[in-house]
Amino acid sequence: MSVAYTPVQWTRTKWLYDAVLAVAVIVYLWVFVTVGAAASAPTRPVDGAILNARALGSCAFFMLSAILAIGPLARFDRRFLPLLYNRRHFGVMTALVALGHAVFVLDWYFAFSPTPKLEALLSANTAVDRLIGFPFEWLGALALVILFVLAATSHDFWLSFLTPPVWKRLHGLIYLAYAAVVGHVALGALLSQTNPLFAMAVCVCAAGVAGLHLAAALGERAEAEAAGAWIAVPEAGAIAEGRARVVALPDGTRAAVFRHEGRLAAISHACAHQNGPLGEGRVIDGCVTCPWHGFQYRLEDGCSPAPFTEKVPTYRLRWREGRVEIAAEASPPGTPQEPIGAEAPA
């Protein structure tokens, strides 16, 4: 924790995360190329460059699908949280794999073009007035540009420089990139495939990503109960000591209800530093500690201990009809709140 910006240091977990990703990518590419070469007809063998392009392109699609699935999965099961914490590394590697796909495509299909390769790619098909035959190359180029913008701005410097709200909106373009990739594959590779397995895999991935996000959104909406100024905290009695339960509120924000020394208190789920998930952290030395970068906040007022000055919004809690309720509207950052007992009053 610091009063100034401090870059996040590499840890053993980050190195392990990247190593597992790299090995998985290498194994996938090797298996795809090996099986693809063996499965091709002896009279019409598939060129190695085409196999490489297909391997890298399909790998990038599956990686992007996994990235978008991690978020909702982590909401359903905390065991996915380690994958979520370093998901930006996953995104950077996906961008590199997608770039490899683009390089092989350009070098194979446009190697002898009289115009520059990239210009030839974007101008070879301009039939924008029809669905079948639409220039799917444009969709792939759009997705690649977005992925590299996101990869280039993934470092914490950009999150701090752009401010968390702007950074978050920028990285929301990942959904546009995924839609472009699905269109790129559907209007390109799938139309020339004779084997239905890849088409089935693409449909399963796209439907799975959409389904997971829809289920997560509906679940949060149900939890919010969007009725009245007070929202029930589900299973408040099951909150472990030093831990929290995250509650979705009607305005789309989230609060973290912590249990500490037999009492309950609530603060914002978003860390004031870089929007880290405070509700996934724990209480250390009487302060909620962000799992991302270690920023701390007192439960009673949402303020960082001296000499630090960060503050987060706090929330009122109350017991009503045997259950804990949280105010739907946050109090200003740093507002003191009286914790309530963890057990229902007699």
Side-chain angles (χ1 to χ4, degrees):
M1 184 169 178
S2 169
V3 295
Y5 166 74
T6 302
V8 178
Q9 302 299 314
W10 284 83
T11 64
R12 180 178 178 275
T13 301
K14 294 181 187 293
W15 285 113
L16 180 62
Y17 191 101
D18 287 1
V20 171
L21 275 178
V23 170
V25 169
I26 292 171
V27 169
Y28 176 89
L29 296 177
W30 180 80
V31 170
F32 189 103
V33 172
T34 302
V35 173
S40 61
T43 56
R44 297 183 61 186
V46 181
D47 187 271
I50 296 177
L51 269 179
N52 290 336
R54 291 176 179 176
L56 288 163
S58 61
C59 184
F61 172 76
F62 293 134
M63 291 174 74
L64 191 56
S65 299
I67 288 172
L68 289 177
I70 290 173
L73 285 173
R75 298 179 194 174
F76 296 132
D77 193 328
R78 294 177 65 89
R79 288 175 293 182
F80 287 97
L81 289 175
L83 299 178
L84 181 67
Y85 292 153
N86 296 304
R87 186 168 55 171
R88 283 180 279 179
H89 293 223
F90 205 156
V92 171
M93 193 169 295
T94 301
L96 293 175
V97 172
L99 177 62
H101 167 71
V103 168
F104 273 104
V105 167
L106 287 172
D107 283 345
W108 175 253
Y109 292 100
F110 300 94
F112 301 104
S113 172
T115 57
K117 296 178 182 178
L118 184 58
E119 181 182 346
L121 172 71
L122 298 177
S123 61
N125 180 11
T126 58
V128 295
D129 57 340
R130 57 188 181 184
L131 180 60
I132 303 301
F134 184 87
F136 65 91
E137 300 89 348
W138 294 8
L139 298 175
L142 172 63
L144 185 61
V145 169
I146 292 175
L147 289 178
F148 261 84
V149 169
L150 302 189
T153 58
S154 64
H155 193 273
D156 282 341
F157 166 79
W158 290 103
L159 198 157
S160 178
F161 177 75
L162 295 173
T163 72
V166 174
W167 187 89
K168 187 174 182 178
R169 292 191 197 98
L170 175 65
H171 282 251
L173 290 174
I174 188 71
Y175 296 102
L176 176 59
Y178 190 68
V181 168
V182 171
H184 175 72
V185 174
L187 298 176
L190 293 190
L191 294 183
S192 61
Q193 286 289 318
T194 56
N195 189 327
L197 291 179
F198 181 62
M200 293 172 60
V202 170
C203 292
V204 168
C205 286
V209 168
L212 281 171
H213 280 80
L214 179 60
L218 292 177
E220 288 192 347
R221 183 177 180 180
E223 290 177 5
E225 298 186 4
W230 292 83
I231 306 300
V233 178
E235 300 181 1
I239 300 175
E241 177 65 24
R243 294 291 186 174
R245 183 170 300 282
V246 178
V247 181
L249 300 175
D251 62 359
T253 60
R254 299 181 194 173
V257 181
F258 280 88
R259 178 174 183 149
H260 177 56
E261 296 180 346
R263 307 180 79 188
L264 300 176
I267 62 175
S268 171
H269 179 55
C271 179
H273 175 222
Q274 292 179 352
N275 277 359
L278 291 179
E280 295 165 8
R282 58 194 178 98
V283 179
I284 300 177
D285 297 329
C287 294
V288 175
T289 304
C290 181
W292 280 7
H293 308 124
F295 276 61
Q296 293 187 307
Y297 305 90
R298 295 191 297 261
L299 276 170
E300 59 268 24
D301 58 10
C303 297
S304 296
F308 308 105
T309 58
E310 288 78 14
K311 300 177 183 179
V312 294
T314 59
Y315 291 83
R316 293 174 293 154
L317 294 175
R318 72 179 185 185
W319 278 99
R320 183 173 180 272
E321 298 180 355
R323 66 180 184 178
V324 176
E325 293 184 334
I326 183 172
E329 184 175 349
S331 298
T335 301
Q337 302 288 355
E338 182 65 26
I340 65 172
E343 303 297 333

